[in-house]
Amino acid sequence: MQDNMIAERSKAGQAAQTLKVKPKWHMTVLHIVYYLILVLFLVFYMLPFWGALVSSFKSNAEAISTSPIALPQNFSMEGYSGAMDLLAVSLLNSLVVTIFGAAGSVFLGSICAYALGKWRFKLNNVFFIALIAATYLPFQAILIPLLKNITNYGLYDNIWGIVLAHSIFGMPMCTTMMRGYYSEVPDALIRQAMIDGNGMWQIYRKIVVPNTKLATITTFVFQCTSIWNEMLFALVLANQGEGAQAPLATIVLNSFVGSTGVEINQLMAGSMILALPMLIIYIFMGKYLISGQMSGAVTAS
Amino acid sequence: MASITIKDMCVSYNKGKTYVLDKLNLDIKDGEFCVFLGPSGCGKSTAMYSIAGLLEPFSGQIYFGDKLMTETEGGKKKTFVPPQERNIAMVFQEYALYPNMTVRENMGFSLKTKKVPKDEIDRLVNEQAAKLELTDLLDRRIAQLSGGQRQRVALGRALVRSPQVFLLDEPLGNLDAKLRDQVRYELKKIQKELNVTTIYVTHDQTEAMTMADHIVLLSGGHIMQEGTPNDLYDHPANEFVAGFLGTPQINIFPCSVKEENGAYILDAGTFRLKAPDHVKASLAPYTGKKVDLGIRPSDFEIAQEGVNSIPAKLDSIEPLGDAYLLYVRIGEKVVVFKYAGEKAPTETEMLLKPNMEKLHLFDPETQKRINA
């Protein structure tokens, strides 16, 4: 059906081309102004990124002495090699925390979303409202009790403690997102599966999850981004500095700005390394993410 | 295989404030093809969902054979067998095919759930697919099928599992007219072959008349009448039933009843008919009062002489191929008359003679049938 629609649209596009009318002069001027404004904002937005990118390929001396947006005169990878040395362990930690934290919260969220989206039970609205409220809960508000809890479980300064925190605190957001998708699974399908001899959880496993892969992917990527970029849990739930057991990349990167001065090229190279995985995910998954978010998932709340 | 018995079933969507189905009592025999017929909102699908166990009635009992499936009282359930344990097969109007599976997987899904061995599943699916001409489509995805093919897959999926009850919720609603006739015929044939108790929900009276052993006509949550198609057509219990069954609709004439020289006369103002002897006893209490006279379009013929006939003026003609529908005016009232002659009548003034053996008389207040 989608193919048909695309075909229809391209037909309409051709028709529009043949019917092209020369625009009036003031419309042309307006268009130019629009584009100027757009370009201006784009430059403003991209300039810091550009600065970070070019600086990461400079030697430290050059990075300090030249304009931050000038192209490197001597192309150098020393920033990257230095940054990799410092970040290697923490990047691996971050990767583990991101993947398991996102998987955990998507798993929990998916189960909650299924129960809330497809089944009626007492107080289900109360549960849902509580979950939405939890989505807007500022983490700062619960930091101290969370820290005490994690310490009690013996998970302080342990990446699995951070994974646990992310799994649980990411769950409300995942539930909200996935409930939107699950409520689009037709009720007739659920009824049919019941008639075919399946219980509530068999239906979840065999019908709902396989038919909402897009929801799972979208929510997973969404969670990955926020966990990968997150700093607060990473900072509070783990020991920092010498002897740290669970340093995460976001925190380690910031500790580059040390007491002995700043290696700007290393810092910028580190930033690039940190930004890269999410950039890659978005480039490859962008298509799914857009269609996923369009189908009412994120706006479900 | 099982008979179905429903006792005093009430269904409510607002905890007993109003009832969608009110005190429904019903017996469906083993192997019977039963059609729940009625206008939309009459509660026919609700009744079916209650039987399937997809819905909990507010009160009442449902038995499959002697086995109690549902028993609720005042909104509290006492016994409730969940739908997955009732061994029923159901076809929904929306087909509800699983988009993540191929045709083969869809058809075999319920068997796989029941842990039937794989060879056996393959055998049953292939057998059913051959019957429904789905063999070439078995490895396709649902998205690649046309509407008619999806319909057949949905039927096939229900048929592979030899259920004790077969429930069909307007399964032909999304098919075009030609395919609908074909599937209707096949469905009836298959049902007779398998001899499975079947409940079929529809609002289409033609489907009901052609397929049913037993029609249950519902309106406003009550059974208006149940019985064989001919029972309902020939002896409608009230004006609603008379109007719902039969196309074109039955013609209703409000008449007053008069007694003249020991005979009863039905006076519609524009015409007078002498009531036949077999309705005399039923008409006696209505002397001097009003009754509604119903005559089906097929129960008229063109008369030559004027005794017990109705003068009419031809308004328009609709040829049906094998017959003609004549729209005639009797006074100011437009009446439909199915004329079975070879050629359409040419004269504009005519005399219509109703078949006096097939009169339907109703009480205008209660709408109930008066004559036997």
Side-chain angles (χ1 to χ4, degrees):
Chain A
M1 199 170 95
Q2 220 161 19
D3 293 345
N4 278 347
M5 269 161 59
I6 291 166
E8 289 287 311
R9 245 181 251 154
S10 69
K11 256 187 230 164
Q14 280 165 8
Q17 271 174 8
T18 50
L19 283 171
K20 211 170 208 174
V21 184
K22 207 180 168 196
K24 291 199 175 113
W25 68 269
H26 64 265
M27 291 304 286
T28 320
V29 171
L30 262 183
H31 265 121
I32 292 168
V33 172
Y34 288 153
Y35 279 109
L36 274 178
I37 294 172
L38 281 176
V39 168
L40 205 69
F41 273 96
L42 186 72
V43 168
F44 191 71
Y45 192 81
M46 291 303 285
L47 211 56
F49 183 76
W50 171 254
L53 186 68
V54 289
S55 298
S56 70
F57 290 109
K58 292 173 184 174
S59 67
N60 194 36
E62 192 188 337
I64 291 170
S65 57
T66 58
S67 157
I69 54 167
L71 281 171
Q73 281 152 357
N74 298 305
F75 193 81
S76 150
M77 291 298 284
E78 69 182 59
Y80 280 89
S81 60
M84 270 320 278
D85 285 345
L86 291 166
L87 282 174
V89 177
S90 61
L91 273 175
L92 201 66
N93 283 341
S94 273
L95 192 70
V96 171
V97 167
T98 301
I99 287 173
F100 285 93
S105 57
V106 168
F107 176 70
L108 290 175
S110 158
I111 287 175
C112 290
Y114 172 63
L116 286 168
K118 279 288 145 202
W119 299 88
R120 305 226 157 275
F121 52 92
K122 267 186 193 163
L123 300 180
N124 63 346
N125 271 335
V126 176
F127 277 108
F128 187 56
I129 290 165
L131 274 174
I132 290 180
T135 315
Y136 295 110
L137 187 79
F139 289 153
Q140 295 86 320
I142 43 100
L143 264 183
I144 306 288
L146 177 67
L147 178 61
K148 286 205 158 178
N149 264 324
I150 293 285
T151 315
N152 273 345
Y153 304 145
L155 289 174
Y156 178 74
D157 203 16
N158 182 329
I159 53 170
W160 298 109
I162 306 174
V163 167
L164 183 69
H166 278 302
S167 298
I168 290 167
F169 286 95
M171 185 269 279
M173 190 62 204
C174 292
T175 307
T176 321
M177 282 178 78
M178 296 183 99
R179 185 177 170 271
Y181 284 104
Y182 289 171
S183 55
E184 280 169 31
V185 174
D187 285 340
L189 224 54
I190 307 270
R191 285 193 213 115
Q192 181 66 53
M194 281 170 86
I195 299 279
D196 280 347
N198 296 276
M200 183 171 169
W201 295 110
Q202 277 173 309
I203 295 173
Y204 171 72
R205 205 156 40 82
K206 293 183 196 165
I207 306 297
V208 174
V209 172
N211 280 312
T212 51
K213 283 185 192 134
L214 202 62
T216 316
I217 293 172
T218 311
T219 320
F220 184 78
V221 169
F222 191 85
Q223 279 301 308
C224 278
T225 336
S226 58
I227 296 175
W228 180 264
N229 293 334
E230 201 270 347
M231 293 178 73
L232 196 58
F233 284 173
L235 187 68
V236 175
L237 298 181
N239 203 357
Q240 307 302 334
E242 286 294 314
Q245 297 296 306
L248 296 194
T250 41
I251 305 300
V252 174
L253 180 67
N254 278 277
S255 68
F256 281 17
V257 190
S259 48
T260 52
V262 189
E263 303 262 342
I264 289 200
N265 60 340
Q266 261 182 25
L267 186 61
M268 293 306 138
S271 305
M272 286 297 121
I273 292 170
L274 218 60
L276 201 61
M278 290 306 122
L279 213 60
I280 290 172
I281 285 188
Y282 268 93
I283 288 166
F284 282 101
M285 305 278 209
K287 196 174 73 180
Y288 296 106
L289 285 179
I290 289 165
S291 62
Q293 288 176 349
M294 292 301 251
S295 65
V298 172
T299 53
S301 54
Chain B
M1 315 284 149
S3 60
I4 299 169
T5 311
I6 299 176
K7 283 186 185 160
D8 288 330
M9 184 172 79
C10 298
V11 178
S12 172
Y13 289 127
N14 50 15
K15 295 178 182 166
K17 276 180 213 137
T18 51
Y19 292 116
V20 186
L21 286 174
D22 198 356
K23 292 246 173 208
L24 196 75
N25 280 292
L26 196 60
D27 272 308
I28 299 166
K29 289 195 203 81
D30 189 9
E32 198 169 57
F33 196 114
C34 177
V35 173
F36 288 179
L37 177 66
S40 51
C42 71
K44 54 192 190 300
S45 290
T46 306
M48 174 181 272
Y49 282 15
S50 305
I51 292 169
L54 293 170
L55 207 110
E56 278 172 34
F58 186 71
S59 61
Q61 292 133 30
I62 300 170
Y63 294 88
F64 286 6
D66 329 322
K67 196 166 181 272
L68 184 60
M69 287 287 159
T70 302
E71 183 176 18
T72 54
E73 203 179 291
K76 300 222 162 54
K77 61 181 168 189
K78 290 177 159 177
T79 313
F80 191 81
V81 179
Q84 59 266 33
E85 289 163 27
R86 293 190 180 204
N87 192 19
I88 44 181
M90 193 156 174
V91 177
F92 293 90
Q93 186 176 8
E94 309 94 319
Y95 312 146
L97 299 170
Y98 309 122
N100 57 321
M101 301 180 195
T102 61
V103 171
R104 186 188 297 281
E105 287 162 343
N106 259 286
M107 288 176 70
F109 184 62
S110 63
L111 299 172
K112 203 174 150 195
T113 308
K114 279 200 278 183
K115 304 218 161 47
V116 175
K118 206 176 167 303
D119 301 349
E120 181 72 2
I121 297 180
D122 278 347
R123 192 182 64 77
L124 288 166
V125 167
N126 287 336
E127 193 182 294
Q128 204 57 55
K131 272 189 201 164
L132 291 166
E133 294 171 35
L134 287 169
T135 309
D136 299 339
L137 307 175
L138 277 176
D139 293 312
R140 290 225 198 146
R141 294 233 156 231
I142 298 308
Q144 298 166 310
L145 302 180
S146 72
Q149 289 166 338
R150 287 180 199 193
Q151 175 61 51
R152 296 212 303 272
V153 176
L155 278 174
R157 179 175 62 179
L159 290 168
V160 283
R161 44 182 302 197
S162 48
Q164 59 173 338
V165 177
F166 196 23
L167 304 172
L168 302 149
D169 187 5
E170 307 213 17
L172 310 186
N174 294 337
L175 297 186
D176 61 67
K178 194 181 151 209
L179 205 56
R180 193 181 301 188
D181 286 351
Q182 191 191 336
V183 177
R184 197 167 72 195
Y185 158 76
E186 277 170 15
L187 201 63
K188 173 94 184 171
K189 206 173 72 179
I190 291 167
Q191 195 270 341
K192 280 285 156 269
E193 255 173 48
L194 298 175
N195 200 27
V196 185
T197 314
T198 303
I199 299 179
Y200 185 104
V201 163
T202 182
H203 60 261
D204 181 343
Q205 51 111 0
T206 319
E207 276 175 26
M209 292 291 286
T210 49
M211 298 169 91
D213 298 322
H214 179 179
I215 296 181
V216 179
L217 182 52
L218 291 147
S219 175
H222 295 272
I223 295 180
M224 289 286 125
Q225 191 177 1
E226 55 166 317
T228 64
N230 283 339
D231 275 348
L232 267 69
Y233 188 81
D234 294 335
H235 298 282
N238 53 43
E239 270 185 48
F240 177 82
V241 178
F244 201 86
L245 290 176
T247 42
Q249 265 198 359
I250 193 165
N251 301 297
I252 300 281
F253 305 93
C255 295
S256 45
V257 182
K258 288 171 185 161
E259 196 184 353
E260 286 174 12
N261 309 327
Y264 288 100
I265 304 293
L266 296 164
D267 187 351
T270 45
F271 62 87
R272 285 160 64 90
L273 292 175
K274 183 171 164 253
D277 290 346
H278 65 93
V279 296
K280 261 187 174 177
S282 341
L283 274 179
Y286 287 89
T287 315
K289 293 187 195 158
K290 296 245 167 211
V291 293
D292 282 347
L293 167 65
I295 305 171
R296 294 217 181 263
S298 50
D299 292 340
F300 284 110
E301 52 189 34
I302 294 181
Q304 301 308 322
E305 31 88 43
V307 183
N308 246 8
S309 57
I310 306 167
K313 253 189 204 148
L314 189 62
D315 210 50
S316 70
I317 300 178
E318 284 181 5
L320 296 175
D322 56 343
Y324 296 90
L325 282 186
L326 306 184
Y327 289 82
V328 297
R329 276 180 189 280
I330 299 176
E332 286 304 301
K333 191 175 165 68
V334 177
V335 169
V336 194
F337 155 39
K338 194 169 179 186
Y339 177 69
E342 291 268 306
K343 276 185 187 155
T346 44
E347 64 271 29
T348 53
E349 305 266 333
M350 56 177 77
L351 285 172
L352 296 183
K353 197 176 174 71
N355 183 344
M356 298 307 275
E357 295 307 307
K358 292 190 174 173
L359 295 186
H360 305 280
L361 296 167
F362 304 101
D363 185 312
E365 271 172 25
T366 62
Q367 305 265 304
K368 286 203 171 110
R369 186 182 182 86
I370 300 168
N371 58 328

